[in-house]
Amino acid sequence: MSEPQKMQRLSVEEYLTLEENDDYKHEYVNGSIFAMTGASRKHATISLNIASFLRNSLRGSGCDVFISDMKVYAKAANSFYYPDVVIECNNALKHDQYSDSPTIIFEVLSKSTVTTDRREKLVAYQKIDSLQSYVLVHQSRKLVFHFERAGEEWVMQEISGIGELILKCSPDGKPTVRIETDVIYDNVQVDDGPDLQVLEEAEALVW
């Protein structure tokens, strides 16, 4: 989650130097920087559930799993973001400060970031050649949106309630990992009933 910070436009090199030396994290969008804000307990728990499960599932596969602190460079959008969870399976292109070859990205949605996550970041991430999946995870109910690369196109699958997310970490589908919604939402209080506020939040996510 991020908020705009008034500052002169920075080059990529200046931004990376700032991030290396500053005590606070910032996202970078075409020269402008945005200070990151803290996450809720639900947000943090969901992110940790996803990252822990994927790390165990992909152990020995050659894929790395990062949570929160690894930036992703979306070169076509001249932007750096801090996704909630990132999988990278191309070790040859690794950088110390960021990933420019992620294969899967997760963002846990919140009221302050939902518009950015489903519009700006969706467009930017889909231009990353290595990316196979972009996954948006709702906080308040078991609701997941999975955008998956299918050749030159992207297809979206909505998973709600008890379901399973199937993720392909490369164009040839290897390795493939499966994660159930019960794992994603473990130890998280959700409301799958007809609560008006929750329904309004869910409807706001429909394209």
Side-chain angles (χ1 to χ4, degrees):
M1 293 177 283
S2 58
E3 295 180 349
Q5 177 173 318
K6 291 184 179 179
M7 194 172 185
Q8 65 181 14
R9 293 177 66 84
L10 300 178
S11 67
V12 167
E13 292 74 19
E14 290 170 331
Y15 164 71
L16 292 175
T17 298
L18 172 68
E19 288 301 276
E20 192 170 13
N21 296 290
D22 204 311
D23 293 332
Y24 300 97
K25 296 188 299 185
H26 307 80
E27 293 189 325
Y28 174 94
V29 181
N30 198 27
S32 299
I33 62 171
F34 299 81
M36 302 294 291
T37 60
S40 68
R41 182 182 296 270
K42 282 185 178 181
H43 191 125
T45 301
I46 291 171
S47 298
L48 185 58
N49 287 343
I50 295 169
S52 298
F53 180 86
L54 293 176
R55 182 171 177 80
N56 288 331
S57 298
L58 293 170
R59 193 178 302 278
S61 69
C63 295
D64 293 320
V65 181
F66 302 98
I67 185 168
S68 299
D69 287 333
M70 175 58 72
K71 294 184 289 296
V72 162
Y73 181 32
K75 185 175 182 179
N78 192 31
S79 299
F80 287 85
Y81 299 108
Y82 281 95
D84 291 308
V85 180
V86 179
I87 297 176
E88 183 186 62
C89 297
N90 190 343
N91 293 335
L93 297 179
K94 287 181 67 174
H95 300 271
D96 287 338
Q97 281 191 270
Y98 62 89
S99 168
D100 62 2
S101 57
T103 56
I104 298 172
I105 291 175
F106 283 82
E107 294 283 10
V108 180
L109 299 172
S110 62
K111 289 182 180 179
S112 62
T113 66
V114 58
T115 300
T116 301
D117 290 340
R118 68 174 181 159
R119 294 181 184 175
E120 175 189 312
K121 290 186 179 181
L122 173 64
V123 173
Y125 288 153
Q126 288 181 334
K127 293 179 181 178
I128 300 175
D129 291 340
S130 61
L131 195 72
Q132 301 303 308
S133 288
Y134 177 42
V135 185
L136 298 175
V137 182
H138 200 279
Q139 280 193 65
S140 301
R141 58 189 287 144
K142 290 183 179 179
L143 180 62
V144 175
F145 295 96
H146 178 201
F147 294 86
E148 184 176 31
R149 188 184 297 274
E152 298 299 319
E153 304 295 329
W154 286 82
V155 296
M156 193 269 282
Q157 177 188 17
E158 179 180 328
I159 303 168
S160 59
I162 298 175
E164 183 180 56
L165 183 62
I166 302 174
L167 300 167
K168 300 173 183 177
C169 297
S170 66
D172 63 5
K174 299 178 182 179
T176 296
V177 63
R178 298 169 178 263
I179 179 170
E180 297 179 352
T181 53
D182 283 348
V183 172
I184 294 174
Y185 293 97
D186 182 43
N187 201 33
V188 175
Q189 185 175 358
V190 296
D191 185 355
D192 286 325
D195 180 83
L196 179 60
Q197 181 178 353
V198 172
L199 286 176
E200 287 176 343
E201 291 176 0
E203 288 167 359
L205 301 179
V206 177
W207 277 262

